[in-house]
Amino acid sequence: MSTSSSPAPIPRPGILDIDIYVPGESKVAGGVKPIKLSSNETPLGPSPKAIEAYNASAKDLERYPDGQATALRNAIARRYGLDAGRIVCGAGSDELLTMLAHAYLGPGDEGIYTTHGFLVYRIAILACGAVPVIAPEKNLKTDVDAILAAVTARTRVVFLANPNNPTGTYIPIDEVRRLHAGLPGHVLLVLDAAYSEYVRRNDYEAGLELVATTSNTVMTRTFSKIHGLAALRIGWAYCPEAIAGVLNRIRGPFNLSSSSIAAGTAAIEDRAHEDAAIAHNERWLPWLTSEIERLGLPVTPSVANFLLMHFDGVGGKTAATADEFLRGRGIILRRVTGYGLPNALRLTIGTEDENRAVVAALAAYLGKTPA
Ligand SMILES: *Cc1c(COP(=O)(O)O)cnc(C)c1O
């Protein structure tokens, strides 16, 4: 029997329209250990207490985990003063974003995200057979009026990363409230606050109060960034009670491993480690921004643990050739062509040595010596 003529399973409409997500790369030629600044991972690593808890979890691997992730939800609730009953944990916030899409979007429905919004939103929307609707940004920043103008009778979900990846820009909580106020009550507003811990701005809030006081706002958070546990896949959502009930119905009954629950619980309780990561970022984000701008590369002002540098109009230089040059020196940044930014590179804030190495390599690429 020829395989070409035999019938084969056909996926639902929309699924084959998905471009497979391409993660930040981690290898360079020559087998040398690269300086990897391509996935917004923390240069400080996880809390030693989280590693200890992870190691201790190895002695009970034959047991199913607590399907409620009770210890982790309680620790998160204590840390932020929340109702643990409205926290739902996921295998990374990616899983929660995907579950939210599957719960609230069907064929023909519309999900909105912004021009340079996180690509997982597009994937999640298409996977449900729904239609991705892109709201334009203004100067690489969320434009609330543009999102509101994109709302139609078919809109069911709005995904907003605040701060956004890969731009690093944010909108103040007043603007988020204005966005919420302009949405019909049946439209779900998903606030993805993956980088919120890093933001040092008086007019910023991750959105906890909006979740607590409205019936159609969900906030997602992650342990992959400031807590340094990307490998373990831990995220959480704070939800209205009814939405928590929906997510708890559709999630895998044991969607977090015991090791993830143990490490995550220890991580969120280690405030000193989190504070150290914030202090490190506060020192090196402005330093990298000004050093790179001094080399003649415009940088989008960032409030997160990464920044976006631009090569437009920099005499014959491009993101592609810069990337190639840096790789030759063992340094991996993130190409962001898939985000509609073909001539920019995203740089994660690294250790002091890594940051200095990046500036030196960029200076060499541009034919300049660093100040
Ligand atoms: C990194 C990131 C996440 C986190 O994803 P996890 O699945 O929790 O690792 C979520 N949203 C944005 C915008 C991110 O950049």
Side-chain angles (χ1 to χ4, degrees):
M1 215 197 311
S2 121
T3 48
S4 60
S5 63
S6 63
I10 298 168
R12 297 196 317 186
I15 290 177
L16 294 179
D17 297 331
I18 295 172
D19 291 324
I20 292 176
Y21 184 86
V22 182
E25 291 189 45
S26 55
K27 289 193 180 68
V28 289
V32 291
K33 188 173 188 288
I35 295 178
K36 181 182 184 292
L37 300 169
S38 58
S39 298
N40 300 342
E41 297 144 339
T42 173
L44 274 56
S47 157
K49 290 170 187 157
I51 297 172
E52 205 176 296
Y54 174 82
N55 286 334
S57 75
K59 69 182 185 334
D60 292 318
L61 295 183
E62 76 282 15
R63 302 282 175 217
Y64 273 96
D66 168 16
Q68 262 58 256
T70 312
L72 179 57
R73 287 189 302 109
N74 285 342
I76 294 166
R78 271 195 306 275
R79 168 76 166 77
Y80 294 106
L82 305 178
D83 173 1
R86 295 168 60 173
I87 296 170
V88 180
C89 293
S93 44
D94 286 353
E95 188 193 30
L96 294 159
L97 297 166
T98 302
M99 284 196 291
L100 286 163
H102 281 274
Y104 293 97
L105 289 171
D109 290 340
E110 293 173 358
I112 299 177
Y113 62 95
T114 66
T115 313
H116 306 293
F118 190 41
L119 277 174
V120 166
Y121 312 148
R122 178 180 182 81
I123 293 171
I125 293 164
L126 283 168
C128 302
V131 181
V133 174
I134 299 171
E137 296 177 6
K138 219 181 231 167
N139 299 323
L140 301 183
K141 214 166 142 178
T142 297
D143 178 352
V144 165
D145 293 307
I147 295 176
L148 292 174
V151 173
T152 74
R154 304 306 306 262
T155 306
R156 291 292 175 274
V157 181
V158 174
F159 288 101
L160 178 66
N162 196 32
N164 185 47
N165 170 20
T167 54
T169 57
Y170 80 106
I171 57 170
I173 189 66
D174 282 354
E175 279 291 279
V176 178
R177 286 203 194 95
R178 189 166 73 82
L179 170 61
H180 176 268
L183 292 174
H186 65 271
V187 172
L188 174 66
L189 174 60
V190 179
L191 299 173
D192 177 348
Y195 301 96
S196 57
E197 297 89 350
Y198 287 108
V199 185
R200 307 282 101 183
R201 292 288 191 281
N202 290 333
D203 59 358
Y204 175 83
E205 281 175 35
L208 288 171
E209 196 204 310
L210 206 55
V211 175
T213 56
T214 69
S215 57
N216 61 333
T217 312
V218 168
M219 180 203 63
T220 61
R221 300 280 280 266
T222 183
F223 282 74
S224 301
K225 305 289 157 55
I226 200 156
H227 295 296
L229 294 172
L232 290 185
R233 316 304 305 125
I234 315 167
W236 57 282
Y238 194 51
C239 314
E241 213 172 295
I243 295 179
V246 166
L247 294 180
N248 281 323
R249 281 174 172 80
I250 64 170
R251 70 178 173 81
F254 304 102
N255 60 333
L256 264 76
S257 70
S258 310
S259 309
S260 300
I261 295 168
T265 303
I268 200 123
E269 287 172 349
D270 191 344
R271 289 291 290 273
H273 191 75
E274 187 178 324
D275 290 345
I278 292 167
H280 180 87
N281 205 62
E282 258 189 295
R283 164 144 194 236
W284 292 102
L285 173 66
W287 185 84
L288 280 166
T289 303
S290 65
E291 291 295 314
I292 292 168
E293 289 207 309
R294 196 174 351 198
L295 293 173
L297 300 174
V299 173
T300 302
S302 170
V303 295
N305 69 331
F306 57 87
L307 59 78
L308 196 61
M309 65 186 87
H310 301 270
F311 292 81
D312 300 304
V314 185
K317 305 295 184 186
T318 65
T321 56
D323 184 45
E324 207 172 310
F325 183 91
L326 292 170
R327 275 161 188 277
R329 298 195 158 206
I331 300 172
I332 310 177
L333 307 194
R334 182 73 145 95
R335 293 290 310 274
V336 281
T337 306
Y339 283 94
L341 297 161
N343 212 16
L345 290 177
R346 191 191 68 195
L347 163 68
T348 304
I349 310 307
T351 63
E352 171 168 0
D353 287 351
E354 290 170 339
N355 298 336
R356 292 189 187 281
V358 168
V359 171
L362 283 170
Y365 168 69
L366 296 165
K368 296 176 184 176
T369 33

